[in-house]
Amino acid sequence: MLGGKNILLGITGGIAAYKTTFLVRLLIKAGANVKVILTESASSFVSPLTLATLSKNPVLSSFVKEENDTIDWNNHVELGLWADIMIIAPATANTLSKMANGTCDNLLLATYLSAKCPVFFAPAMDLDMYKHPSTKNSFEKLESFGNKMIAATSGELASGLHGEGRMAEPEDIVDFVKQFLSDGFPLSRKKVLITAGPTYEAIDPVRFVGNHSSGLMGYELAKEAARLGAKVVLVSGPSHLKIEDDLVTTLRVMSADEMYDAVHAHYETADIAICAAAVADYRPKIVADQKIKKSSDDLSIELIKNKDILLSLGKVKKNQFLVGFALETENELENAKGKLKKKNLDAIVLNSLNDLGAGFGKQTNKITFIDKNSTIKAFDLKSKAAVAVDILEEIISRINA
Ligand code: CTP
């Protein structure tokens, strides 16, 4: 969400300024480009050198820049245009009042007036200052300009008093900005639960029953759901794939039983669940404690049925939009429709093994999307990333209908 975004952080003179070092770290970790402007009094609370090191950019505090015997100026208009987002944290009562009234007596304020991007401010002050009608007036005025207030929280204040006025924690400031950015995305505020990959069912400590699923289809679905603004829980069987995205939480499991538990722990709060995992239908009845020795000429392993995770989700389904996959070799449409009904699904994605380029271990897939009203839509052979786009488009059009 914040990757590649240009973020201008304005720091004003309050004790909460010391927390901005963490804020800069979080923004950089999220992939943002960060420039910091300090007011003169802010530099008494937090070191410009620390902020320059963390942000990987020079810290700016005055209009005039003196370097190697030359005098130049820090261009507030350019800074304002550079920023995709401006955050003022901590925002003191003094700076808020100046912002609300168009005062422009330092670089931070001049840049604020020049900025065309969304501006967020996180007030921090003592409780009586926070409650004062003139401060409230500043909040209201700034919000009427379209600036977003990240409200202070209650707690112990630097004065020793208890009350409202503590700056929001850096993590909460980052979450607030991310939420703002994701609003307007088709899956913002939605939780999507996805299963992916194979499951490995232990025979003994070193061997297992498994399959060749790479997990790619499920991982592409997770990436696409996050790109559309969803919070994603990806429950993955063994796979070498990984996703670096703040919106995706990957829970790694080994067996079908572990996948069942992880999926059920997240299902109730999910809005959409997509089971793309190739779950082993059977597991060894007895798992040997020690490695099985090759003592006899033949060896039989008795298998028992695993729980059907998708079926179990269909049974307890409330408002979730539940999607399954079906890999078929014959009577494809009829079999897929049968599974959709039996497992109480809202839709099923059919892969036919008869289609060249579709299925396990391939980079491409060819699917037919079938919903519970028997609307059938067949797609061309595409990369699994493009298939993920199609599947989520179909789902979104139905949850919004
Ligand atoms: N599935 C599951 N748990 C299982 C088996 C399957 O959640 N123990 C899910 C898969 O993730 C997929 C769907 O069920 O979304 C269909 O799986 P598939 O193996 O094709 O169908 P089955 O119902 O197992 O029937 P069969 O193997 O007999 O075709």
Side-chain angles (χ1 to χ4, degrees):
M1 199 68 67
L2 293 175
K5 288 268 184 300
N6 292 338
I7 300 184
L8 203 51
L9 174 63
I11 304 176
T12 72
I15 179 63
Y18 83 92
K19 291 188 185 174
T20 56
T21 54
F22 298 100
L23 179 56
V24 172
R25 271 204 67 213
L26 290 172
L27 294 170
I28 293 284
K29 239 177 108 187
N33 308 310
V34 180
K35 288 189 183 177
V36 177
I37 305 179
L38 280 181
T39 61
E40 208 184 313
S41 57
S43 56
S44 310
F45 292 99
V46 61
S47 141
L49 183 60
T50 309
L51 292 164
T53 311
L54 291 171
S55 68
K56 304 180 177 102
N57 271 313
V59 168
L60 312 166
S61 54
S62 69
F63 287 103
V64 180
K65 171 163 70 175
E66 289 182 45
E67 255 174 18
N68 308 328
D69 294 335
T70 58
I71 297 186
D72 206 347
W73 69 308
N74 287 314
N75 188 330
H76 55 91
V77 178
E78 264 175 26
L79 277 169
L81 290 175
W82 173 84
D84 297 314
I85 292 163
M86 184 171 188
I87 305 172
I88 297 162
T92 57
N94 182 39
T95 291
L96 290 169
S97 164
K98 288 180 176 181
M99 283 161 64
N101 291 294
T103 308
C104 180
D105 59 3
N106 63 35
L107 181 67
L108 196 159
L109 291 163
T111 309
Y112 163 71
L113 284 180
S114 311
K116 293 205 168 103
C117 60
V119 177
F120 299 82
F121 63 94
M125 62 198 75
D126 215 47
L127 76 163
D128 293 314
M129 295 168 82
Y130 197 76
K131 277 197 294 219
H132 196 281
S134 65
T135 310
K136 297 261 177 240
N137 192 26
S138 301
F139 295 160
E140 279 163 25
K141 243 174 148 177
L142 290 170
E143 288 192 305
S144 77
F145 301 158
N147 300 165
K148 313 277 174 255
M149 170 156 149
I150 307 173
T153 59
S154 276
E156 191 177 342
L157 302 167
S159 61
L161 296 172
H162 261 81
E164 226 175 356
R166 273 169 73 107
M167 185 180 83
E169 293 301 323
E171 288 82 0
D172 297 329
I173 294 178
V174 172
D175 281 350
F176 190 100
V177 173
K178 277 192 197 158
Q179 191 59 63
F180 170 85
L181 293 176
S182 76
D183 277 343
F185 280 75
L187 290 178
S188 72
R189 296 177 191 267
K190 296 266 189 272
K191 176 174 166 181
V192 180
L193 175 63
I194 296 172
T195 69
T199 63
Y200 286 1
E201 310 298 328
I203 298 171
D204 69 13
V206 293
R207 303 179 180 97
F208 58 84
V209 177
N211 61 64
H212 290 299
S213 165
S214 64
L216 185 59
M217 192 64 249
Y219 277 68
E220 291 298 349
L221 282 164
K223 278 197 252 172
E224 177 61 11
R227 201 186 62 79
L228 296 169
K231 279 206 165 134
V232 181
V233 176
L234 174 64
V235 181
S236 171
S239 169
H240 68 280
L241 300 171
K242 67 174 188 202
I243 299 179
E244 306 270 358
D245 189 318
D246 289 353
L247 286 172
V248 181
T249 306
T250 306
L251 305 175
R252 299 207 178 255
V253 296
M254 197 60 84
S255 64
D257 265 355
E258 286 174 20
M259 187 174 276
Y260 179 96
D261 290 342
V263 165
H264 277 275
H266 286 276
Y267 186 54
E268 203 174 323
T269 49
D271 300 288
I272 297 168
I274 310 174
C275 289
V279 184
D281 287 329
Y282 294 90
R283 69 176 184 278
K285 186 171 181 185
I286 295 164
V287 181
D289 290 343
Q290 305 297 331
K291 188 180 165 208
I292 299 170
K293 291 286 182 194
K294 50 176 183 303
S295 46
S296 54
D297 281 347
D298 46 31
L299 172 71
S300 302
I301 297 171
E302 194 181 343
L303 300 176
I304 52 168
K305 220 177 196 171
N306 271 330
K307 290 177 209 157
D308 188 320
I309 301 167
L310 183 59
L311 180 79
S312 70
L313 297 180
K315 281 189 182 147
V316 295
K317 186 167 70 144
K318 289 185 185 130
N319 297 316
Q320 298 89 344
F321 192 93
L322 182 59
V323 183
F325 272 70
L327 185 62
E328 304 294 340
T329 52
E330 56 180 352
N331 286 334
E332 289 113 345
L333 276 179
E334 284 326 300
N335 284 341
K337 279 190 197 166
K339 279 180 194 170
L340 183 146
K341 197 152 187 263
K342 179 174 148 210
K343 300 191 186 189
N344 189 26
L345 309 181
D346 296 286
I348 195 155
V349 179
L350 164 66
N351 301 126
S352 165
L353 269 193
N354 298 327
D355 285 320
L356 231 58
F360 274 16
K362 304 261 173 38
Q363 295 295 317
T364 49
N365 208 356
K366 186 171 185 316
I367 61 147
T368 304
F369 190 93
I370 308 164
D371 73 10
K372 63 178 178 201
N373 302 320
S374 290
T375 308
I376 298 172
K377 193 160 169 187
F379 292 86
D380 294 335
L381 184 71
K382 297 180 180 186
S383 69
K384 285 186 175 167
V387 171
V389 173
D390 290 338
I391 292 173
L392 282 158
E393 254 177 40
E394 292 302 318
I395 295 172
I396 290 165
S397 71
R398 283 163 178 83
I399 57 175
N400 291 336

